[in-house]
Amino acid sequence: MKASESAIQPFLERLMCRSSLDNDDQQKVLSLPAQIILVESNKDLIPDKEFTSHSCLVVSGISARYVQSKEGHRQIAALHIRGDMPDLSSLLLPHRSSGLQTITPSTIAFIPHNALHELTKSPAIAEAFWRDTMVDAAISTQWIVNLGQRDAPARIAHLICELATRYQKSHDGNEFEFALPLTQQHIADAVGISVVHANRAVQMLKNHGLMLIANRQVQVLDWRLLCRAADFDPTYLYLSCTSSGQ
Amino acid sequence: MKASESAIQPFLERLMCRSSLDNDDQQKVLSLPAQIILVESNKDLIPDKEFTSHSCLVVSGISARYVQSKEGHRQIAALHIRGDMPDLSSLLLPHRSSGLQTITPSTIAFIPHNALHELTKSPAIAEAFWRDTMVDAAISTQWIVNLGQRDAPARIAHLICELATRYQKSHDGNEFEFALPLTQQHIADAVGISVVHANRAVQMLKNHGLMLIANRQVQVLDWRLLCRAADFDPTYLYLSCTSSGQ
DNA sequence: CGTCAGTTTGACTGGAATCAAAACCTGTGG
DNA sequence: CCACAGGTTTTGATTCCAGTCAAACTGACG
């Protein structure tokens, strides 16, 4: 297997979680040309100018889609992990409306737009891409609810529930842990509160025996209760990977 | 022109704002079968059960995509106006993750999924649909920023700016007005604050000479300033309709 | 003229931002 | 091995924003 194939593998797996592709289409995805680059933390992945010619794919690490408001505040609008294609939208929407930055050291694959465009000539692949875009939109909707309606602890709980599920860690029972290299500043920027307040909310979750965050690890102490506190329902993520596709 | 064609016309216009379709494809869109229904206000448009077989299209009026949180609070996640297809996502994502309700008396066209699916066999149309999904996602991203970072008056200002632009009213100079039949409760639910607070924020905008809302009309007093206050940049809406296509 | 939905106002309270400073790591180089 | 610098987490004190409750007001409509 070529280096680029193994880099694209997680992306294909993601697609296959939600859509079904025949062998031919799978092969086409895997043979996408990709330039694989190691990127350190806090580096911008897409330039500010219009008309990028590549989309990038997270192979490892975490990246954040963010918007910087006029007063210097930053809002993280999405977090992207292994297998995600954060700026697929640049393929059809040339104006960049949000920035993209690595949070941890990451390996990123850059894929030329024309190759992606070529790929979408296969209807099944086009549909799979479209479906993934829809799931991203569904996630955004949930973030809107999170920001608009829940208090600080619930917002953080929901974020953690979402990430645990996307990392597929939520099936390991009611008590488990997983690596999550976010600082409290990142969490604060994602759920729209200040760092100080994020800290207190995290402690609140700890004191209630729901979860704790320490040295880049999240330890879920009571998954059931955490989901309840977060009002979390995983269906919107469409990640029932066990069954192939819908 | 058949009744269903004229109902679908605004939808086609919307698509044409962002994508270019040849005559053949345009004709295909227009001849979509549609069941046109008049709906009163505050009626749910999609059933709670899974596997709807139709998507709906707003021909006139306003509908809200919303999520009801456990404690009974409601968050409006998107507003849909003439030409929008609010639940296009049900075509590829069978589980409904948000509700859809008319805000005003509306005329809605219901279009069977299989007809839409058939339509996407034309690559240009599929791409146009996909692009529209991406714009919806971009709008959601802006709402996240709105809820996460701005204070109440700015949130409302941003909402108004967005709607004015989507109604294409923002080209009528620096001072103009347009119909917007939202109650302050709706505004509050959309920007994540209480009605009382929404009221005070609206008055603040009035006192600063930016805009005023009265009898289902928004009167923009200083578009330039309003945009500044809202930190509004319309590019994410991709509505430069004057030029045809992207 | 009463009703009802929507808007406006006031008084009160709690939550969250801000500012500031201290404690805590973790990797670095002396 | 220690000291140190950096980023991160924690804590406290203060201020202010925004939610809640409750009540009055406005218009439209039957």
Side-chain angles (χ1 to χ4, degrees):
Chain A
M1 188 185 277
K2 293 195 321 186
S4 70
E5 284 202 8
S6 65
I8 291 172
Q9 186 64 38
F11 176 60
L12 178 62
E13 281 166 24
R14 172 65 46 78
L15 288 176
M16 297 290 293
C17 276
R18 298 170 177 154
S19 312
S20 48
L21 298 176
D22 61 32
N23 276 330
D24 194 31
D25 282 336
Q26 292 183 37
Q27 221 18 264
K28 278 189 204 157
V29 172
L30 281 179
S31 47
L32 230 29
Q35 188 183 5
I36 294 134
I37 297 184
L38 297 173
V39 186
E40 51 205 314
S41 10
N42 305 320
K43 300 295 275 185
D44 268 293
L45 290 178
I46 50 181
D48 207 343
K49 65 171 170 17
E50 297 177 17
F51 305 117
T52 348
S53 56
H54 296 253
S55 282
C56 62
L57 167 55
V58 180
V59 181
S60 77
I62 302 186
S63 293
R65 208 148 51 71
Y66 69 92
V67 175
Q68 199 90 25
S69 81
K70 220 174 27 206
E71 305 93 45
H73 300 288
R74 135 178 311 207
Q75 174 67 43
I76 293 179
L79 291 172
H80 292 284
I81 65 175
R82 172 187 163 85
D84 286 342
M85 191 114 144
D87 68 335
L88 187 54
S89 64
S90 67
L91 184 63
L92 298 186
L93 302 181
H95 303 280
R96 116 171 178 166
S97 60
S98 53
L100 184 62
Q101 210 173 62
T102 54
I103 284 185
T104 66
S106 306
T107 101
I108 306 289
F110 288 89
I111 300 172
H113 276 168
N114 51 30
L116 286 168
H117 220 133
E118 187 65 29
L119 206 59
T120 58
K121 285 182 180 159
S122 158
I125 295 180
E127 185 173 306
F129 280 12
W130 187 14
R131 181 174 288 115
D132 259 40
T133 303
M134 284 178 172
V135 172
D136 281 348
I139 294 175
S140 293
T141 297
Q142 292 298 324
W143 281 46
I144 290 173
V145 178
N146 213 25
L147 290 164
Q149 297 303 135
R150 295 196 251 269
D151 63 12
R155 290 186 203 188
I156 294 176
H158 195 277
L159 179 69
I160 297 300
C161 287
E162 180 185 304
L163 288 170
T165 307
R166 285 167 64 190
Y167 274 123
Q168 321 248 282
K169 298 289 172 167
S170 65
H171 302 302
D172 308 2
N174 198 41
E175 201 173 328
F176 59 92
E177 62 182 300
F178 64 101
L180 188 70
L182 296 179
T183 68
Q184 296 192 352
Q185 180 68 64
H186 291 131
I187 295 174
D189 289 348
V191 303
I193 58 180
S194 68
V195 213
V196 175
H197 196 48
N199 181 281
R200 296 197 230 263
V202 166
Q203 288 174 53
M204 212 169 278
L205 291 170
K206 182 171 79 181
N207 293 336
H208 285 61
L210 298 180
M211 49 160 269
L212 45 88
I213 303 182
N215 18 310
R216 306 166 174 281
Q217 289 263 328
V218 171
Q219 200 169 338
V220 174
L221 302 173
D222 191 333
W223 175 247
R224 220 79 47 72
L225 263 188
L226 191 65
C227 289
R228 182 102 47 84
D231 198 8
F232 177 73
D233 172 0
T235 41
Y236 71 95
L237 292 171
Y238 282 85
L239 278 176
S240 35
C241 257
T242 41
S243 68
S244 68
Q246 49 151 329
Chain B
M1 188 184 277
K2 290 197 319 186
S4 71
E5 285 203 7
S6 65
I8 292 173
Q9 185 65 37
F11 177 60
L12 178 62
E13 280 166 23
R14 172 66 46 78
L15 288 175
M16 298 291 292
C17 275
R18 296 167 178 156
S19 312
S20 47
L21 298 176
D22 61 30
N23 276 330
D24 195 30
D25 283 336
Q26 291 182 39
Q27 216 24 258
K28 278 189 205 157
V29 172
L30 281 179
S31 46
L32 230 30
Q35 188 182 4
I36 295 135
I37 297 184
L38 296 173
V39 186
E40 51 205 313
S41 9
N42 305 320
K43 299 297 273 185
D44 268 292
L45 290 178
I46 50 182
D48 207 342
K49 65 172 174 4
E50 297 177 17
F51 304 116
T52 348
S53 56
H54 296 253
S55 282
C56 62
L57 166 56
V58 180
V59 181
S60 76
I62 302 187
S63 293
R65 207 150 50 74
Y66 69 93
V67 175
Q68 199 91 23
S69 82
K70 220 175 25 205
E71 305 93 44
H73 301 288
R74 134 178 311 206
Q75 174 67 43
I76 294 179
L79 291 172
H80 292 284
I81 64 175
R82 172 187 163 84
D84 286 342
M85 191 115 143
D87 69 335
L88 186 54
S89 63
S90 69
L91 184 61
L92 299 185
L93 303 181
H95 302 281
R96 111 166 184 172
S97 61
S98 52
L100 184 62
Q101 210 173 62
T102 53
I103 284 186
T104 66
S106 306
T107 101
I108 305 288
F110 288 89
I111 300 172
H113 277 167
N114 52 29
L116 286 168
H117 221 132
E118 187 64 29
L119 205 59
T120 58
K121 285 183 180 158
S122 158
I125 295 179
E127 184 173 305
F129 279 13
W130 187 13
R131 180 173 289 116
D132 259 38
T133 303
M134 283 179 173
V135 172
D136 281 347
I139 293 175
S140 293
T141 297
Q142 292 298 322
W143 281 46
I144 289 173
V145 178
N146 213 26
L147 290 165
Q149 297 303 133
R150 294 195 252 270
D151 62 12
R155 290 186 202 188
I156 294 176
H158 195 278
L159 180 69
I160 298 300
C161 287
E162 180 185 303
L163 288 170
T165 307
R166 284 167 64 190
Y167 274 124
Q168 321 248 285
K169 298 290 171 161
S170 66
H171 303 301
D172 309 2
N174 198 41
E175 202 172 329
F176 59 92
E177 62 182 297
F178 64 101
L180 188 70
L182 297 179
T183 68
Q184 297 192 351
Q185 181 68 63
H186 292 130
I187 294 175
D189 289 348
V191 302
I193 58 180
S194 68
V195 213
V196 175
H197 197 47
N199 180 281
R200 295 197 231 263
V202 165
Q203 287 174 57
M204 212 169 279
L205 291 169
K206 181 170 81 181
N207 293 337
H208 285 63
L210 297 179
M211 50 159 270
L212 47 88
I213 303 182
N215 19 309
R216 307 167 172 279
Q217 289 264 328
V218 171
Q219 198 168 337
V220 175
L221 302 173
D222 191 332
W223 175 247
R224 218 81 46 73
L225 263 187
L226 190 65
C227 289
R228 181 102 48 82
D231 198 8
F232 177 73
D233 171 359
T235 41
Y236 72 95
L237 291 171
Y238 283 84
L239 278 176
S240 35
C241 258
T242 41
S243 70
S244 71
Q246 48 154 337

